[in-house]
Amino acid sequence: MKLFKQIASGIDKFIHAGNLKYDLNSILSSANPDVSLEERIIWIQKLMYWIRSTEKIPLQFDSSIGQIHTARVSFILQLLDRNVEWKIAVSKTFRSVIQETNSLQLFCDTGLPKEVGFLQEATDRFLNKIIPTPPDDKELSELFLKIFPRTEDAIWVKNLSKETIVKIVELFEYQTKNENLWEKINFEITEAICIIVSQIQAIGLSDGVRKRTNLKSIKESPFLLLNESIDEFLKYHTDQKTETIINSILKCNQNIKLCRYAIQEVFQHLEDYGISVTLVYQLEKLTFHLDRLEVLLIFLYSRESIYNSNIIQNFISKLIKESLAKKSLKALIQTNLNQLSRKIAERAGKTGEHYITSNKKEYFYMFKCAAGGGIVTAFTTFIKFFIVTTKLPHFFEGFFASINYAASFVFIQLCGFTLATKQPSMTAAALAGKLHDIKESSSLNNFIDEITKLTRSQFSAILGNIILVVPISLLIDFLYKKVTGHSAITPEKAYSTIHSFSIFGPSLFYAIFTGFLLWLSSLAAGWIENWAVYRRLPEAIAKNKRLIFLLGTEKSEKLSKFFANNISGFGGNISLGFMLGMTPQFGNFFGILLDIRHVTLASGSFAFALSALDFTNVNKYEFINACLGIVMIGILNVSVSFYLALSVAIRARKVQSVERKQIRVAIFKRLISSPLEFLYPFSKK
């Protein structure tokens, strides 16, 4: 029983370890600069616990912006002014910690990416989650994370007033006598600047960055010139030559601006020619280092101007955010994949633009293309049933089904036909590009116009697919009966096929999952095109000597253009084919009832099943359920893939402030006033 109480007490202490209660008077009175460094650090943590305590916050204080925390800091300073003994002890304790710890890592490493690439940084953060690096109490950077362990700290620190910052500095300098408190910090800031500039220069002169700028000579590189101007500044800074310092700091600032311009130039190159996650990571690292360099130069050059601005508060607040974000694997992935997802979305968007019809001519052209897609899909369905009847092992059945789907989708692409359900994931990205200035009524109306065009385009495409896939499937089975004497599928298989499309069965879940696969295929299409463009494969094909020797220059260039125009479609269609074909077998492997429901394939299968049963042997109830199920399959295929694609496209473009409610209301109003406009392009009067 005693052991149980001890265990329960230990668990309770562990759970409430972050909510310890401390009395401010006892904390301030216990300040002692002569105890060990570890004890002084614990004392500082206790003081910070009191400041950030969330208990008994008066209603007049807004906790969301840290008003209570800033008020408590001011209260501590006032209390110390009334008690000189406490003030002396607290001041000496803070100074002793600064003197006995190394702040170099705090200035040049804390909050900054340190590894050379995305994978190394991600691995380092992941391992630190499992096995944290042992803390080094001699490093001020380690103490910094102990003092400010929460994101809320960044808020109240940023809101500290200038007067409070001045009083905190005065507290640190209180009765320093002949001590030069800032001499050690100045030296470590200088060392940190040297380290940061060397890292900026190394990345800025690397192949990935250098080849994507318009430099005529390495000597003209702003990253090299920045290093030279910083060396000049540090030299004259130590000599205390004021006029020369002003000129050198102006040079430094100018070169920092040029470095930022070069980074934007590289980003623009990536926008035009494809994204690399590793290179994006290096550019983000450059930006962070330039930001830190600017602040450190201000600290070193003009301490007086610091007190008249919010530089200290902003710097510490940013340091807290960056330090905590640096520990987050999720933040790293989001930062680096944002650019990649944007480019993937844009690539898919360019493909999707031709899927949106604007007038009757385009509408009926879409219908004709979809009809062609329906004809091809009827043969795809026939081959699918043939593969199933061969009773191959699960893997080979899935593999040949994947080849069937992929070849069919690629053939549809090369013929210029359309498969309706592939459109939404492509068109959503194109649609998201029009989500700018949505608060303006004209922009909102234009966006709603695009929604109506997209909706009727989908209706036309699905209608074209189904209207042709059903009769062609019936015709194929009719001819097959004439040749073989029996249908392509057995009556048992026909009954199970019709039953599998029931609106009350698992078909709706499978349709949602298929919508997810359709969206994944659009991502694959964008990623593969981005990869091909980044690797300059079209250019490599056009200039390949062997191809030029075999085909000639003109045909090699045509092959290059064909590859550039179709690589996205090949990637999306082949990936979709293999996902549709292998998904059921993947489910079988794990013992999961997993299947796909694609509206055009389902319509073709339904037609084959009806033909096998000679239409008369079908229960009316199951027939109606299957028809309703196929309708719902089409709706879910389209809506799920469109929703996912639009969400990713919006996030990739950072259009997070869009008034979604306003858009929904506008769509509803248009639907009430002109419902048929969503199905057919009527001429506007």
Side-chain angles (χ1 to χ4, degrees), residues 135-148:
D136 183 359
D137 289 337
K138 290 290 183 181
E139 285 292 341
L140 194 58
S141 57
E142 298 284 347
L143 174 59
F144 185 82
L145 291 172
K146 289 181 179 180
I147 295 174
F148 303 110

Side-chain angles (χ1 to χ4, degrees), residues 271-508:
E271 290 291 319
D272 296 335
Y273 298 100
I275 290 290
S276 162
V277 171
T278 302
L279 187 53
V280 169
Y281 175 80
Q282 295 295 327
L283 294 176
E284 294 285 348
K285 184 177 178 180
L286 263 179
T287 304
F288 276 120
H289 279 68
L290 287 170
D291 291 342
R292 181 65 57 84
L293 177 61
E294 280 187 315
V295 175
L296 294 182
L297 286 174
I298 294 172
F299 282 163
L300 206 58
Y301 168 63
S302 178
R303 179 166 292 111
E304 292 76 14
S305 64
I306 293 173
Y307 303 143
N308 297 321
S309 64
N310 295 320
I311 293 175
I312 293 179
Q313 302 95 304
N314 291 337
F315 175 66
I316 297 176
S317 176
K318 191 174 182 181
L319 211 56
I320 295 169
K321 291 178 183 177
E322 291 173 353
S323 298
L324 295 173
K326 184 184 171 185
K327 296 166 66 178
S328 170
L329 182 61
K330 181 181 177 181
L332 177 71
I333 294 172
Q334 285 179 339
T335 300
N336 286 273
L337 292 188
N338 182 61
Q339 288 285 340
L340 181 62
S341 63
R342 178 178 179 178
K343 182 47 60 180
I344 287 174
E346 284 179 355
R347 297 286 176 191
K350 290 177 183 177
T351 305
E353 284 173 357
H354 73 274
Y355 285 130
I356 301 176
T357 63
S358 300
N359 50 52
K360 290 182 181 180
K361 183 179 179 181
E362 293 177 357
Y363 182 83
F364 286 109
Y365 179 75
M366 175 67 72
F367 180 84
K368 291 178 183 178
C369 292
I375 294 171
V376 176
T377 307
F379 287 95
T380 307
T381 309
F382 172 73
I383 297 171
K384 179 195 75 170
F385 282 128
F386 176 76
I387 293 171
V388 172
T389 57
T390 56
K391 303 294 183 182
L392 293 170
H394 290 313
F395 172 80
F396 289 103
E397 182 180 325
F399 176 76
F400 285 113
S402 301
I403 295 295
N404 176 38
Y405 292 143
S408 170
F409 298 155
V410 169
F411 184 74
I412 288 173
Q413 174 192 347
L414 294 177
C415 291
F417 298 151
T418 297
L419 192 64
T421 51
K422 278 188 89 286
Q423 294 175 295
S425 54
M426 298 294 185
T427 51
L431 200 61
K434 303 180 186 298
L435 282 172
H436 299 294
D437 300 323
I438 207 71
K439 292 182 179 179
E440 295 182 10
S441 58
S442 58
S443 299
L444 181 60
N445 287 330
N446 290 335
F447 181 73
I448 302 304
D449 286 339
E450 292 298 319
I451 290 283
T452 58
K453 291 175 185 177
L454 170 65
T455 305
R456 63 182 177 235
S457 299
Q458 300 308 305
F459 178 75
S460 172
I462 292 176
L463 201 63
N465 276 171
I466 294 176
I467 282 178
L468 264 293
V469 72
V470 171
I472 297 299
S473 296
L474 295 174
L475 178 62
I476 292 171
D477 197 57
F478 173 78
L479 295 175
Y480 189 80
K481 285 180 183 178
K482 288 291 184 182
V483 175
T484 64
H486 58 82
S487 292
I489 58 176
T490 63
E492 293 77 13
K493 178 65 176 175
Y495 278 120
S496 65
T497 299
I498 292 173
H499 181 71
S500 69
F501 298 137
S502 173
I503 194 172
F504 299 110
S507 280
L508 301 188

Side-chain angles (χ1 to χ4, degrees), residues 502-504 618-628:
S502 173
I503 194 172
F504 299 110
V618 183
N619 184 285
K620 291 182 179 179
Y621 177 75
E622 290 198 351
F623 176 82
I624 294 172
N625 278 344
C627 289
L628 293 175

Side-chain angles (χ1 to χ4, degrees), residues 504-623:
F504 299 110
S507 280
L508 301 188
F509 168 76
Y510 297 149
I512 292 171
F513 183 71
T514 304
F516 172 71
L517 297 182
L518 289 163
W519 169 68
L520 282 183
S521 72
S522 73
L523 287 187
W527 181 85
I528 289 172
E529 185 177 7
N530 176 75
W531 176 81
V533 172
Y534 180 76
R535 300 290 175 183
R536 300 168 65 190
L537 294 186
E539 186 179 342
I541 292 172
K543 296 183 179 180
N544 186 278
K545 292 182 179 180
R546 292 181 181 177
L547 285 176
I548 292 173
F549 178 77
L550 289 172
L551 304 175
T553 303
E554 186 178 347
K555 289 185 178 179
S556 294
E557 289 179 354
K558 286 183 178 179
L559 181 62
S560 172
K561 290 179 181 178
F562 173 82
F563 177 84
N565 293 332
N566 290 281
I567 182 60
S568 175
F570 289 156
N573 288 321
I574 293 171
S575 63
L576 178 61
F578 273 83
M579 283 189 285
L580 295 181
M582 294 303 295
T583 291
Q585 311 313 326
F586 182 81
N588 287 335
F589 182 81
F590 288 100
I592 303 171
L593 291 175
L594 196 60
D595 209 341
I596 56 104
R597 291 290 183 271
H598 185 281
V599 62
T600 312
L601 291 169
S603 300
S605 299
F606 185 60
F608 274 102
L610 291 176
S611 178
L613 296 174
D614 294 326
F615 295 94
T616 57
N617 298 322
V618 183
N619 184 285
K620 291 182 179 179
Y621 177 75
E622 290 198 351
F623 176 82

